[in-house]
Amino acid sequence: MGLFKSKKEKEQEKQAKMQKWLQDRDLENLSQDDYAQVDRIKTQLRETVFLLNNIAASDKDLQRNMQNILLGISEQNWLLIKQNDKLAKQNEEIINLLKNKTKDLQ
C-alpha cells in the first residue's frame, strides 16, 4: 500500500465512514437527496466541534462556530420540511385510495 491514497480511495473511505455513521443512527436507507443534506449537516456540526475544542478561541472563531451551528440547524429544518411534505403527500394518496375503495364497495 502506498503512502498516498488516490482521490478515488479517499472518496471510498469517506463514503464508508458516512455509511457507518448513518448506520449507527439507523439512517442507512436515506434517499440520495436526503443523504446529501445529512452529509452537509454532519460537516457543519463537525466544524463546530472542531472550533469548540479550541479553548483559546477568539471572538471571530466563536462567531464562526455560531454560524456553523445555525447552518446545521437550518439544514436539519429543510430536511424535516421535505420529509414532512413527503409524508403529507403519501397520507393524501392513502386517503384517496381508501375513499375510492369505499366507493367501489358501496
Side-chain angles (χ1 to χ4, degrees), residues 47-58:
E47 290 173 9
T48 301
V49 170
F50 175 75
L51 288 173
L52 283 174
N53 287 334
N54 185 358
I55 295 173
S58 67

Side-chain angles (χ1 to χ4, degrees), residues 66-77:
M66 290 300 294
Q67 187 177 24
N68 284 336
I69 290 170
L70 290 173
L71 288 171
I73 291 170
S74 295
E75 282 294 326
Q76 288 174 342
N77 287 341

Side-chain angles (χ1 to χ4, degrees), residues 17-33:
K17 284 181 183 179
M18 183 64 171
Q19 287 302 321
K20 173 69 172 122
W21 188 86
L22 290 170
Q23 192 176 30
D24 290 346
R25 287 152 183 84
D26 200 25
L27 296 171
E28 63 268 11
N29 293 322
L30 292 176
S31 70
Q32 195 64 30
D33 288 342

Side-chain angles (χ1 to χ4, degrees), residues 14 39-54 57 60-72:
K14 180 184 174 190
D39 190 36
R40 284 193 299 272
I41 293 166
K42 184 177 180 270
T43 299
Q44 289 296 331
L45 296 177
R46 183 180 59 231
E47 290 173 9
T48 301
V49 170
F50 175 75
L51 288 173
L52 283 174
N53 287 334
N54 185 358
K60 191 175 186 179
D61 288 337
L62 293 174
Q63 286 177 342
R64 195 171 344 145
N65 191 26
M66 290 300 294
Q67 187 177 24
N68 284 336
I69 290 170
L70 290 173
L71 288 171

Side-chain angles (χ1 to χ4, degrees), residues 56-104:
S58 67
D59 286 343
K60 191 175 186 179
D61 288 337
L62 293 174
Q63 286 177 342
R64 195 171 344 145
N65 191 26
M66 290 300 294
Q67 187 177 24
N68 284 336
I69 290 170
L70 290 173
L71 288 171
I73 291 170
S74 295
E75 282 294 326
Q76 288 174 342
N77 287 341
W78 291 123
L79 182 60
L80 290 171
I81 290 167
K82 184 169 66 171
Q83 290 172 339
N84 189 48
D85 181 60
K86 185 178 179 180
L87 287 172
K89 288 175 183 173
Q90 289 173 341
N91 287 341
E92 190 64 37
E93 186 177 335
I94 290 169
I95 290 167
N96 288 334
L97 289 170
L98 288 172
K99 283 180 181 178
N100 292 338
K101 181 115 176 131
T102 304
K103 287 179 186 175
D104 291 344

